[in-house]
Amino acid sequence: RYAAECILRLGDLVTWWATMNEPMILIYMAYIGKAWPPGLGSLPAGRTALINQMKAHHAAYVLGKAIQPKSQIGLVINMPAFDPERESALDRLVVRAQDYIMNGLTVKAMDEGVLPLPLSFNGHKLVGGPRAADWFGLNYYGQYRVQFDPRMTGELFGRQVQVGIRT
């Protein structure tokens, strides 16, 4: 409803709409982590929140196109680079997992119109179908070197060190 109301009230002034800004940052900091409210520190809560974000984006996309067919609707994602700290198989595996969760999941859901693993085990279809984003905004703040660490369960077993910061 909020997205529809924004388009109804501002549609004569705006053509390009972003439904969300950096959805994975919110998930990581507020649901998986404890740095931002609600600070749940829970992987299942993060999964649920991300599913709800993807559903909300798709619903806003469908409503936006119905109200303003020529609108360009997308979302802004933070896309850091992940590289293994060492050439070990475990470091490379953790990098692939972190890159997929942080960078790949949102893009895959938008492109294919389904909730991919680990969000859905049965390929739940999203309202709006595939390609429910006309554009992606990319924010790149730097590069992370990742090393396998069995104690870092909330980080998918990878310790990150930010080595390149660009603003």
Side-chain angles (χ1 to χ4, degrees), residues 98-142:
Q98 288 186 0
D99 183 63
Y100 175 71
I101 295 297
M102 185 69 179
N103 298 331
L105 227 105
T106 303
V107 174
K108 187 175 178 75
M110 296 301 104
D111 185 49
E112 296 178 2
V114 298
L115 291 171
L117 285 170
L119 299 178
S120 172
F121 298 103
N122 63 357
H124 175 79
K125 292 185 179 176
L126 293 163
V127 174
R131 315 256 185 311
D134 299 317
W135 59 272
F136 287 104
L138 297 178
N139 289 334
Y140 175 79
Y141 301 112

Side-chain angles (χ1 to χ4, degrees), residues 6-68:
C6 287
I7 292 173
L8 286 169
R9 290 179 185 229
L10 302 171
D12 59 329
L13 303 171
V14 180
T15 304
W16 292 73
W17 300 91
T19 61
M20 286 181 242
N21 181 52
E22 299 182 355
M24 287 306 298
I25 298 299
L26 176 65
I27 297 302
Y28 178 74
M29 298 299 283
Y31 293 90
I32 296 171
K34 296 181 178 181
W36 296 352
L40 299 179
S42 164
L43 284 172
R47 178 181 175 270
T48 299
L50 184 58
I51 289 169
N52 289 335
Q53 282 186 336
M54 295 299 96
K55 288 179 177 179
H57 166 81
H58 274 72
Y61 183 87
V62 170
L63 278 171
K65 290 295 187 173
I67 296 167
Q68 186 185 34

